[in-house]
Amino acid sequence: MFDLDRWREIFQSISKNKLRSVMSGFTVAFAILLFTLLFGVVNGLSNTFKDVFSDDAANIMSVRVWKTSKPFKGLQTGRRIQLKNKDFNFVKEEYDSKIQHLTARVNRNVNISYKTKQDNYSLQAVHPDHQFLEKTIIEEGRYINDRDLKERAKVIVIGRLVKEDLFGEKPAIGKRINVSGISYQVIGVFSDEGGDNEERKTFMPVSTAQMIYGNNDNLSQIVIGYNPDLSLDEAIAFGNKMERDLRKKLDIHPDDQSALSIQNMAEANKGVGSFVIALYFIVIFIGSGTLIAGIIGISNIMIFVIKERTKEFGIRKALGAQPSSIVGIVVQESVLITTIAGYLGLSLGTFILSAIDDGLEDYFIKDPSVSPGIVIGATITLILSGLIAAYVPAKRAARIKPIVALRAD
Amino acid sequence: MIEIKKLHKSYPIGKDSLHVLKGIDLHIKEGEFVSIMGSSGSGKSTLLNIVGLLDEHDEGEYYLNGQLIDNLNEKKAAILRNKFLGFVFQSFNLISYKTALENVALPLYYKGMARKERLKIAMDYLDKVELKDWANHLPNELSGGQKQRVAIARALVTQPKVVLADEPTGALDSTTTDNVMDLLRDINNEGMTVFVITHEEEVAEQTKRIVRLKDGVIISDELTNINSKAV
Ligand SMILES: Nc1ncnc2c1ncn2[C@@H]1O[C@H](COP(=O)(O)OP(=O)(O)O)[C@@H](O)[C@H]1O
Ligand SMILES: [Mg+2]
């Protein structure tokens, strides 16, 4: 099929008719450029969303308590609700099959010192499963285990930045540090992708904290990693049921959000999911609009080009050009221009996106980029439309009687 | 070479139709040098376009080189034009973005000839019309007479059986007119059939046979005195 003479004809026609070649090329390049940028920006937005939710495990729900806002069973409004170990055990036994990880939390701010260094840090007293729910990464040593919990061991796991503050480059594992007047052994150092604040935390067994801070069995929070096999809807139903059960158990009005609420990632995820889907719908809508505008652009230019060349085609026919050869040069020229222009638009678009990189993170656009599949698809669409846009009028032009074509001007 | 019997042609004009050729009988043998005379609108171009397979007739018979022309599709017509016919138009009809040489070589491209060969042959024909030095010029850099000579070279390059020229001197001054007619006579002397349209007596007188057309019929068909001189 490769016909050097045909290509020579086409390159000559393109280079001798720069304006119209540039015009049709520009339309295509511009359409592909817009398309690429649009998709890139939306991908950037959705990257931001994925990021926001990727720090902690996505299948989390947590039980929080505060004061009642509704009277119930003769109890007053404003009663303070306190979670206890028995509530934790209730959740553990009642919903075992729906739970992957389970931890309670007791939160405190503490002053920690080692030798001459000291500072304030936040302490979370937890169960071993907390590691998975917070996606805590153990850098050295180990996390809290069941034995620590049972023995109420005075052990502590410290964040990377806490370690740096207190120990600098020196090893921390096995050393004893002073936490608000009580000595603990450092058993682990962790890092966390959630940022610096996460790495200024410390963890100890929940049982130890309960014994030391007030000798009670109070809990600040219960955090549940629900079974990832649950669908979003099942997970939401699970959260709702647990909320009802706990309110009943703690004598709280069934609708009292203030007294006890469950914050369920499944609900947020469902929201984000729909948001991202909506975003993509908008993009597909605008994106195909851009492409259609590009297609209409090429069609118009091709109609114009062919009209302008009608006389030339008449001459060529008088000299012996067959209709198929007329259609051939027009279509091949159009496809060549759309391909090159499409490629330029695509390259420019990808270049701009990579130049933006994380420059627009303030606008929630993170690492905007396009999947090659989508862009190649768009380019192929445009090339095909270049083909059709040229084929239809070229076919018509090739059918014009040579005498009519020769008279054209 | 060209045989036409009771040829009719009408153009539709709105609901009516304009009857332009009203039963033409014409026989042109190989090697003739014929001119068609007639006032403007008498149907000369219509006749030539039908002969040149650029247009179709309505009624009657047309044989080109012994082959009946009937319901040709565009592809077949293109092949026949390329093989048998060479055209020279009043307005030259050169392709503006191609050089003189490329214009002349174009019919050979449609014949399927290799580039090197066709450029060589095209150059020979440009030489023949004394435009070798202008081979790489674009049409808009040439004078009217030069353009027409390029067009003639282009018409000849495929060595057609018949050269059809529709008022080839219509856009030229008298010196270049003579120049172009000399060229056509040379071609004819080499044995090619030449068929010229004109409305100028001086031009017609340089051909060997004059056919006069009026209102779509042939009113006279006679040999000129050049005939006796020639051969
Ligand atoms: N395509 C056409 N449609 C309608 N009328 C035409 C067309 N071509 C030519 N005519 C008319 O047919 C007549 C003959 O035209 P033409 O053959 O060009 O005459 P000539 O070449 O002798 O001047 C003229 O009246 C012209 O207006
Ligand atoms: Mg005419």
Side-chain angles (χ1 to χ4, degrees), chain B residues 8-22 58-59:
Chain B
H8 287 263
K9 174 73 181 177
S10 306
Y11 290 115
I13 293 183
K15 282 175 196 159
D16 301 326
S17 80
L18 180 66
H19 200 176
V20 178
L21 298 180
K22 305 166 180 168
D58 301 332
E59 266 176 59

Short mmCIF file of all heavy atoms in Angstrom, two decimals, chain B residues 8-22 58-59:
data_model
loop_
_atom_site.label_atom_id
_atom_site.label_comp_id
_atom_site.label_asym_id
_atom_site.label_seq_id
_atom_site.Cartn_x
_atom_site.Cartn_y
_atom_site.Cartn_z
N HIS B 8 -26.92 14.41 -29.97
CA HIS B 8 -27.74 15.46 -29.34
C HIS B 8 -27.26 15.70 -27.93
O HIS B 8 -26.84 14.78 -27.24
CB HIS B 8 -29.21 15.03 -29.31
CG HIS B 8 -29.87 15.08 -30.65
ND1 HIS B 8 -30.63 16.14 -31.08
CD2 HIS B 8 -29.86 14.18 -31.67
CE1 HIS B 8 -31.07 15.90 -32.30
NE2 HIS B 8 -30.62 14.71 -32.68
N LYS B 9 -27.39 16.96 -27.53
CA LYS B 9 -27.06 17.29 -26.13
C LYS B 9 -27.91 18.47 -25.67
O LYS B 9 -28.00 19.49 -26.36
CB LYS B 9 -25.57 17.67 -26.02
CG LYS B 9 -25.14 18.16 -24.66
CD LYS B 9 -25.05 17.04 -23.64
CE LYS B 9 -24.64 17.54 -22.26
NZ LYS B 9 -24.64 16.45 -21.28
N SER B 10 -28.55 18.31 -24.53
CA SER B 10 -29.32 19.41 -23.95
C SER B 10 -28.83 19.67 -22.54
O SER B 10 -28.37 18.75 -21.85
CB SER B 10 -30.81 19.04 -23.88
OG SER B 10 -31.27 18.65 -25.13
N TYR B 11 -28.90 20.90 -22.11
CA TYR B 11 -28.63 21.21 -20.71
C TYR B 11 -29.94 21.55 -20.03
O TYR B 11 -30.72 22.34 -20.54
CB TYR B 11 -27.71 22.43 -20.60
CG TYR B 11 -26.29 22.17 -21.06
CD1 TYR B 11 -25.78 22.82 -22.17
CD2 TYR B 11 -25.47 21.28 -20.36
CE1 TYR B 11 -24.47 22.61 -22.58
CE2 TYR B 11 -24.17 21.06 -20.77
CZ TYR B 11 -23.67 21.72 -21.88
OH TYR B 11 -22.39 21.49 -22.27
N PRO B 12 -30.18 20.94 -18.88
CA PRO B 12 -31.39 21.34 -18.14
C PRO B 12 -31.19 22.75 -17.58
O PRO B 12 -30.13 23.06 -17.03
CB PRO B 12 -31.47 20.30 -17.03
CG PRO B 12 -30.09 19.77 -16.89
CD PRO B 12 -29.40 19.92 -18.20
N ILE B 13 -32.21 23.58 -17.79
CA ILE B 13 -32.15 24.93 -17.20
C ILE B 13 -33.46 25.12 -16.46
O ILE B 13 -34.49 25.33 -17.07
CB ILE B 13 -31.98 26.01 -18.28
CG1 ILE B 13 -30.59 25.85 -18.92
CG2 ILE B 13 -32.15 27.40 -17.69
CD1 ILE B 13 -30.27 26.89 -19.95
N GLY B 14 -33.41 24.99 -15.15
CA GLY B 14 -34.64 25.02 -14.38
C GLY B 14 -35.51 23.86 -14.83
O GLY B 14 -35.06 22.72 -14.88
N LYS B 15 -36.79 24.19 -15.19
CA LYS B 15 -37.70 23.12 -15.62
C LYS B 15 -37.50 22.82 -17.11
O LYS B 15 -37.81 21.73 -17.58
CB LYS B 15 -39.16 23.54 -15.37
CG LYS B 15 -39.56 23.38 -13.91
CD LYS B 15 -40.96 23.90 -13.67
CE LYS B 15 -41.22 24.10 -12.18
NZ LYS B 15 -42.33 25.03 -11.96
N ASP B 16 -37.03 23.82 -17.83
CA ASP B 16 -36.83 23.63 -19.27
C ASP B 16 -35.49 22.98 -19.53
O ASP B 16 -34.74 22.70 -18.62
CB ASP B 16 -36.86 25.00 -19.98
CG ASP B 16 -38.17 25.70 -19.74
OD1 ASP B 16 -39.19 25.00 -19.64
OD2 ASP B 16 -38.15 26.95 -19.62
N SER B 17 -35.24 22.74 -20.83
CA SER B 17 -33.90 22.31 -21.15
C SER B 17 -33.46 23.02 -22.43
O SER B 17 -34.27 23.35 -23.30
CB SER B 17 -33.84 20.79 -21.30
OG SER B 17 -34.30 20.42 -22.57
N LEU B 18 -32.15 23.28 -22.47
CA LEU B 18 -31.60 24.02 -23.60
C LEU B 18 -30.97 23.01 -24.56
O LEU B 18 -30.01 22.32 -24.21
CB LEU B 18 -30.55 25.00 -23.07
CG LEU B 18 -29.85 25.87 -24.11
CD1 LEU B 18 -30.84 26.85 -24.75
CD2 LEU B 18 -28.69 26.63 -23.48
N HIS B 19 -31.53 22.95 -25.73
CA HIS B 19 -31.05 21.98 -26.72
C HIS B 19 -29.85 22.60 -27.43
O HIS B 19 -30.00 23.49 -28.25
CB HIS B 19 -32.18 21.68 -27.73
CG HIS B 19 -31.97 20.39 -28.45
ND1 HIS B 19 -32.89 19.87 -29.34
CD2 HIS B 19 -30.96 19.51 -28.43
CE1 HIS B 19 -32.45 18.73 -29.83
NE2 HIS B 19 -31.27 18.49 -29.28
N VAL B 20 -28.64 22.12 -27.13
CA VAL B 20 -27.44 22.78 -27.64
C VAL B 20 -26.93 22.12 -28.91
O VAL B 20 -26.67 22.78 -29.91
CB VAL B 20 -26.33 22.81 -26.57
CG1 VAL B 20 -25.07 23.45 -27.13
CG2 VAL B 20 -26.81 23.56 -25.34
N LEU B 21 -26.81 20.81 -28.89
CA LEU B 21 -26.36 20.09 -30.09
C LEU B 21 -27.57 19.34 -30.66
O LEU B 21 -28.21 18.56 -29.96
CB LEU B 21 -25.23 19.12 -29.75
CG LEU B 21 -23.94 19.75 -29.21
CD1 LEU B 21 -22.88 18.69 -28.92
CD2 LEU B 21 -23.39 20.80 -30.16
N LYS B 22 -27.84 19.62 -31.94
CA LYS B 22 -29.08 19.10 -32.51
C LYS B 22 -28.79 18.16 -33.67
O LYS B 22 -29.11 18.45 -34.81
CB LYS B 22 -29.97 20.26 -32.99
CG LYS B 22 -30.26 21.28 -31.90
CD LYS B 22 -30.84 22.55 -32.46
CE LYS B 22 -31.13 23.56 -31.35
NZ LYS B 22 -31.43 24.90 -31.90
N ASP B 58 -26.52 12.97 -24.92
CA ASP B 58 -27.84 12.43 -24.59
C ASP B 58 -28.26 11.36 -25.60
O ASP B 58 -28.78 10.31 -25.25
CB ASP B 58 -28.90 13.54 -24.59
CG ASP B 58 -28.57 14.62 -23.60
OD1 ASP B 58 -27.91 14.32 -22.59
OD2 ASP B 58 -28.95 15.79 -23.83
N GLU B 59 -28.05 11.69 -26.86
CA GLU B 59 -28.54 10.81 -27.93
C GLU B 59 -27.48 10.70 -29.00
O GLU B 59 -26.65 11.59 -29.16
CB GLU B 59 -29.80 11.43 -28.57
CG GLU B 59 -31.10 10.93 -27.99
CD GLU B 59 -32.27 11.68 -28.62
OE1 GLU B 59 -32.40 11.61 -29.86
OE2 GLU B 59 -33.00 12.37 -27.88
#
